[in-house]
Amino acid sequence: MTSRTTPMMGSLGSDGCDLYHEEVGEGVPILLIHPAGSTASTWGSAIEELARIGRVITYDRRGYARSGGEPVGSTATHTADAAAILEFLRSPSAVVVGTSAGAAIAVDLAVRRPDLVRVVIAHEFPWRFTRHLPTGSQIKALVRIGSLALRGRHGDAAEVLLRSAYTYRDGGSTWDAFPEEWRQVAREDARAALADFRNSIVTYPSAADLATVKVPVLCSYGARSPNSMVALVRSLASAIPTARTHRIEGAGHAAPFDATANFVQLIADTITSADSDSPQSCASAVDRPVAEAARS
């Protein structure tokens, strides 16, 4: 068992890549899967807070920072890596938490390896983004991203992508509030960030796959996130029979940064209720808009 306060670091070979990982705390395993343009080191104070309630496991995903390797073209590869981490650290029945592209991996882990998952908390997985009409600002950002990437300016393209992704409903972007070292991480791993975006906005996992999920899934969204993102989250939840939704007050797309206390409290509350919640009770707790979407 790990020390409550001293992080333990290591690496794990997984399909040709050495996955860097850290763990701290004791108790129920909490696997944090980072979003595009991030690493194990960009969860901020959320790790320290979560380590008071469980054994927090973080890692640099394939293509990022200390894990290295080439960016991958499928979420499935990242899912296999997440499963390898949990198996290596002997952490079955983990609380799996992901944001954005990390949420896509967390949900896919519930599909492919439910034996490793106690409950999933998926914050703003942009499932089927490509099937929704983008807003004018999103179209401008997508055109700009494509143009920069074609010219080999991947760092600039990733910055445009992430500034757009972290836009608040009421204006501004979390990107501009991030510490400079976090923004530099995103620029350095720009190709991996762009690959994450492509992987997470399509129809994987499929609706048929999501319909097989039996572990509880909480699909969260930020109170400050654009309405378009809220619609994506509700669409995802309507496809998962065990899903319910939750609005995180004070948060946008970067919930662990925007509203750390509320994000940590959500995880703590989910751990407390996971044992008592059955798939049936989770399904009945879905927001009314989700239930209506499922019937339509």
Side-chain angles (χ1 to χ4, degrees):
M1 188 169 287
T2 64
S3 164
R4 180 171 293 276
T5 59
T6 304
M8 294 183 63
M9 296 161 281
S11 64
L12 160 69
S14 177
D15 193 23
C17 182
D18 289 329
L19 298 172
Y20 172 86
H21 59 83
E22 298 180 359
E23 54 179 322
V24 63
E26 300 173 352
V28 59
I30 305 170
L31 177 67
L32 300 181
I33 307 180
H34 68 75
S38 302
T39 68
S41 301
T42 55
W43 289 95
S45 61
I47 291 179
E48 180 181 352
E49 296 299 318
L50 288 170
R52 296 187 176 124
I53 61 176
R55 175 188 174 197
V56 182
I57 302 167
T58 58
Y59 68 109
D60 291 354
R61 291 196 283 108
R62 184 182 297 263
Y64 285 96
R66 292 156 291 193
S67 291
E70 291 296 314
V72 297
S74 73
T75 297
T77 300
H78 287 299
T79 303
D81 286 343
I85 288 281
L86 290 175
E87 290 178 325
F88 178 74
L89 296 177
R90 301 182 183 278
S91 302
S93 194
V95 175
V96 181
V97 182
T99 69
S100 195
I105 299 162
V107 170
D108 194 42
L109 194 65
V111 172
R112 315 293 164 189
R113 293 299 306 273
D115 56 305
L116 297 174
V117 180
R118 180 179 184 180
V119 61
V120 167
I121 300 173
H123 183 69
E124 298 196 355
F125 168 16
W127 186 63
R128 287 185 168 179
F129 172 85
T130 54
R131 293 195 176 187
H132 295 254
L133 184 66
T135 64
S137 61
Q138 288 172 335
I139 291 172
K140 290 179 181 178
L142 290 169
V143 170
R144 180 70 173 153
I145 292 163
S147 174
L148 289 167
L150 284 173
R151 286 181 280 160
R153 295 172 57 184
H154 297 103
D156 292 335
E159 182 168 342
V160 173
L161 166 65
L162 295 172
R163 179 174 281 109
S164 176
Y166 288 117
T167 297
Y168 294 119
R169 178 186 304 179
D170 49 358
S173 173
T174 323
W175 168 263
D176 297 310
F178 283 154
E180 174 55 31
E181 58 266 32
W182 291 16
R183 296 197 295 267
Q184 185 59 34
V185 163
R187 296 185 191 102
E188 291 173 354
D189 296 323
R191 291 176 61 242
L194 295 171
D196 273 343
F197 175 66
R198 292 190 295 268
N199 295 339
S200 63
I201 64 173
V202 291
T203 58
Y204 181 90
S206 69
D209 287 335
L210 294 177
T212 68
V213 172
K214 293 182 171 56
V215 300
V217 177
L218 191 150
C219 300
S220 64
Y221 59 91
R224 298 182 65 190
S225 293
N227 290 332
S228 57
M229 177 55 73
V230 177
L232 291 175
V233 171
R234 287 177 171 162
S235 175
L236 170 68
S238 72
I240 303 174
T242 60
R244 59 188 177 92
T245 63
H246 180 87
R247 168 174 153 148
I248 302 179
E249 296 302 324
H253 198 51
F257 179 84
D258 292 323
T260 306
N262 291 342
F263 180 74
V264 169
Q265 189 62 52
L266 173 61
I267 296 171
D269 291 345
T270 302
I271 291 172
T272 300
S273 64
D275 287 337
S276 60
D277 282 349
S278 66
Q280 289 76 19
S281 65
C282 282
S284 65
V286 174
D287 284 353
R288 182 174 299 276
V290 176
E292 291 174 353
R295 288 194 295 268
S296 63

